[in-house]
Amino acid sequence: MDRLDALKVFCAVVETGGFRKAADKLGISTPSVTNQIVALETHFGIKLLNRTTRSMSMTDEGRQCYEQALQLLGGMSELETSLQYSNKTPRGSLRVDMPSALSRLHVAPALPKFLAAYPDITLKMTVSDRMIDMVEEGVDVLVRIGQLQDSGLIAKKIASTQFVCCASPAFLKKHGRPKTPDDLARFACLNFLYPKSRQVRPWIFQKDGAPFPQTPQGVLGMDHVESLIEAAKAGCGIVQQMSVSLMEPIRSGALEVVLPDWRAAGPDVSVLYQPRHQRAAKVKVFVDFLQTCFEKV
């Protein structure tokens, strides 16, 4: 039994509240988790967890073990980070989480160059938009769009965005182009719906002053950005989305920009990581790589 690995498993069980959840978090089987806990209890000669078919709780000894295990594992992580920085060789497993549009449009296409440049890094990427607990979920680098919570993480801006209005060439040829936001009332518009509330997200415009919202009457509302853009490419109407999502169809000619003089600044794209990872070589090179991915956004 590797005692450090067993302690990691034990901490995961405590933090997730169950053996199966811990197995999912660690990417191992539930029987493996059970075996590690049993081996750890046998090694110490004590019971760490009170377990029934419906509940689980720590014993007093288990609570003491958990608290000291956190310190031990944290110290090991800091040691690994320090050594990785000292030899300046980026290596090891790197867990990254980012939104779907950023991954698909900007990061994934550039990954071959990164992986070729750093063959000693094993990259594990997940795609989500929720704000996660980086420590609990074992994430090293987090990429997010929009206002950031004061989480104690290091945040670095890697790109700015704009709100851009677009439509397909066929749609514009048939219906013409709006000249001002007020003209949108005469056009078919495609609205984004907030996933939870199902309310329409206002369109944002700016010209010679402060940005202002305006919500045109839509012929279609969807809570999925990429599907809404596909509908615009198919000629359903005019859409407004962030520039990071629209760059590809604009460059390919599938969509054309309308109301270019009324663009408003959108939310920033930021990369976040824990302060103790600030000097880790693998984190540094990946953050530098992300900046190159968004240089032309």
Side-chain angles (χ1 to χ4, degrees):
M1 175 190 67
D2 185 307
R3 279 172 282 178
L4 278 178
D5 285 344
L7 286 173
K8 289 179 183 178
V9 171
F10 172 65
C11 289
V13 170
V14 173
E15 290 162 1
T16 61
F19 283 45
R20 181 177 297 178
K21 291 181 179 178
D24 291 341
K25 175 182 177 180
L26 297 172
I28 61 178
S29 67
T30 303
S32 295
V33 171
T34 302
N35 292 337
Q36 289 274 43
I37 298 301
V38 171
L40 200 59
E41 290 179 328
T42 302
H43 173 75
F44 289 130
I46 57 173
K47 193 173 185 178
L48 298 172
L49 298 169
N50 294 314
R51 305 187 289 276
T52 68
T53 56
R54 294 186 177 181
S55 65
M56 183 195 75
S57 62
M58 282 187 289
T59 63
D60 290 341
E61 293 82 0
R63 188 169 292 104
Q64 180 183 358
C65 178
Y66 174 67
E67 292 172 355
Q68 294 191 20
L70 287 181
Q71 296 179 14
L72 177 61
L73 295 173
M76 283 296 298
S77 179
E78 290 180 8
L79 175 60
E80 291 172 350
T81 297
S82 176
L83 292 176
Q84 286 174 355
Y85 176 74
S86 65
N87 64 25
K88 298 183 179 180
T89 301
R91 59 161 54 94
S93 177
L94 185 67
R95 172 81 192 281
V96 180
D97 187 276
M98 66 181 64
S100 174
L102 300 187
S103 173
R104 184 178 68 85
L105 298 175
H106 302 281
V107 179
L111 282 177
K113 291 183 179 180
F114 177 82
L115 295 175
Y118 304 104
D120 293 329
I121 292 180
T122 301
L123 195 58
K124 298 179 180 179
M125 293 181 59
T126 53
V127 175
S128 70
D129 295 292
R130 61 191 176 88
M131 197 62 189
I132 65 176
D133 187 320
M134 296 182 70
V135 176
E136 181 177 333
E137 301 196 26
V139 173
D140 300 300
V141 177
L142 193 64
V143 183
R144 286 296 180 263
I145 304 173
Q147 186 173 0
L148 304 174
Q149 300 175 353
D150 184 8
S151 59
L153 301 172
I154 293 177
K156 186 174 185 179
K157 174 184 170 182
I158 55 176
S160 300
T161 70
Q162 291 182 316
F163 288 109
V164 181
C165 293
C166 292
S168 70
F171 178 89
L172 296 174
K173 182 177 180 180
K174 182 176 181 180
H175 300 282
R177 294 173 178 266
K179 295 182 179 180
T180 71
D182 290 337
D183 293 340
L184 291 172
R186 299 187 290 105
F187 291 84
C189 293
L190 313 180
N191 287 325
F192 175 77
L193 304 178
Y194 291 115
K196 290 185 178 180
S197 67
R198 303 301 183 190
Q199 297 298 310
V200 173
R201 183 177 68 190
W203 295 28
I204 307 296
F205 298 98
Q206 183 173 10
K207 185 178 183 182
D208 302 328
F212 61 91
Q214 185 166 316
T215 307
Q217 183 67 36
V219 297
L220 174 66
M222 300 181 74
D223 65 353
H224 188 256
V225 171
E226 294 182 29
S227 296
L228 200 63
I229 293 173
E230 289 300 315
K233 289 163 61 176
C236 285
I238 300 174
V239 67
Q240 186 188 76
Q241 286 297 329
M242 288 182 289
S243 51
V244 288
S245 297
L246 292 170
M247 285 180 59
E248 181 182 41
I250 291 174
R251 286 172 179 169
S252 69
L255 291 175
E256 295 182 10
V257 176
V258 298
L259 300 174
D261 296 332
W262 295 83
R263 291 189 184 190
D268 292 334
V269 180
S270 302
V271 58
L272 301 95
Y273 47 94
Q274 299 175 53
R276 62 189 178 91
H277 288 164
Q278 185 173 8
R279 303 200 318 174
K282 63 181 181 180
V283 171
K284 182 181 184 303
V285 296
F286 192 76
V287 171
D288 291 343
F289 160 72
L290 287 175
Q291 289 185 292
T292 66
C293 292
F294 294 94
E295 283 179 345
K296 298 180 180 180
V297 172

